[in-house]
Amino acid sequence: MAVFVAFGAFLMTLAGGWTAQRVTDRRHLVLGLAGGLMLGVVGLDLLPEALEAAGEEVYGVPAALLLFVAGFLLAHLVERLLAARQAAHGAEETDGRAPEVGLTAAAAMVGHSAMDGVAIGAAFQVGEGMGAAVAVAVIAHDFADGFNTYTITSLYGNARRRALAMLFADAAAPVVGAACTTLVTIPEGLLGGYLGLFGGALLYLAAAEILPEAHHEHPARSTVLCTIAGATFIWLVVGMAS
């Protein structure tokens, strides 16, 4: 049942990516919405889950928060190192952005989607009611994942075929994750640490790259409204699962 339900997440992820690539004439609105979705995912979904799963403290600070900050700094460091390496070798960049950063971020999205599948499988092991509630939240949430995966990959100058490849990988990840729950159980602490680290990296991309790009291209009230709408959508999705 968990694997069957995960196919719904597969289709919803593809729908999100399809939406992102079809609205290229409103790119500033797409980026504004993506930034809001990513902000909502981090603040309202990933970070609370990380704190619950890995809430033990390290020198007075929850381990999940330390990894959250580490993820933010790691994303910044990786972006700077890749950009400097490409500049030193005279390789092509797109508006100062290294394409590898987009691929790395998309790969992290794929990992997160796999964890969504694991969450579906684990919830169905608890009971069908719990499984259905988590599945609804994950399926709705995966529209945002597909949207963000395609947007991030293409924003950093990767070819359309690469963006589509990462989109399909992101769509398949929940199915794979759900299937794995029949074989492997991931320790809760390890899962919480991963969510904290990934959340920090995702917040960096939203705050330092996607939102500035959205307002630089077309500073308009509609862009801000799209960002607010994205964060509000995630809030409603999280509320449905609680």
Side-chain angles (χ1 to χ4, degrees):
M1 177 62 71
V3 175
F4 176 76
V5 170
F7 274 106
F10 173 85
L11 296 175
M12 190 62 77
T13 302
L14 292 181
W18 180 85
T19 301
Q21 65 176 310
R22 294 291 293 180
V23 291
T24 53
D25 58 330
R26 293 288 184 270
R27 189 167 181 267
H28 61 286
L29 298 180
V30 171
L31 293 175
L33 179 62
L37 290 171
M38 292 168 71
L39 175 62
V41 166
V42 172
L44 306 177
D45 187 15
L46 293 183
L47 198 53
E49 288 185 19
L51 286 170
E52 182 177 353
E56 64 274 8
E57 294 188 353
V58 178
Y59 203 65
V61 178
L65 288 182
L66 288 175
L67 287 167
F68 175 79
V69 174
F72 189 98
L73 296 174
L74 181 63
H76 175 63
L77 179 62
V78 168
E79 183 187 39
R80 291 298 90 206
L81 288 176
L82 288 174
R85 182 177 64 84
Q86 284 209 345
H89 290 81
E92 180 182 356
E93 292 185 20
T94 303
D95 297 329
R97 292 182 171 86
E100 291 92 338
V101 175
L103 292 176
T104 301
M109 293 293 294
V110 173
H112 170 56
S113 292
M115 293 302 102
D116 282 345
V118 171
I120 292 176
F124 270 101
Q125 289 179 5
V126 174
E128 290 190 1
M130 174 68 73
V134 171
V136 169
V138 167
I139 290 173
H141 170 263
D142 276 0
F143 178 89
D145 279 356
F147 190 98
N148 289 336
T149 298
Y150 186 89
T151 301
I152 290 172
T153 308
S154 57
L155 176 65
Y156 279 82
N158 290 286
R160 182 173 179 270
R161 61 181 178 80
R162 284 188 177 182
L164 288 175
M166 297 308 299
L167 173 63
F168 276 98
D170 189 46
V175 180
V176 176
C180 286
T181 57
T182 63
L183 303 173
V184 179
T185 301
I186 300 177
E188 187 178 24
L190 182 61
L191 177 59
Y194 167 79
L195 292 177
L197 187 71
F198 171 60
L202 201 61
L203 181 62
Y204 173 82
L205 293 174
E209 297 293 335
I210 289 184
L211 288 177
E213 179 75 9
H215 292 282
H216 171 73
E217 283 196 347
H218 199 293
R221 185 179 303 172
S222 57
T223 307
V224 177
L225 292 177
C226 282
T227 302
I228 295 173
T232 302
F233 172 76
I234 297 299
W235 178 29
L236 295 176
V237 169
V238 171
M240 288 173 59
S242 62

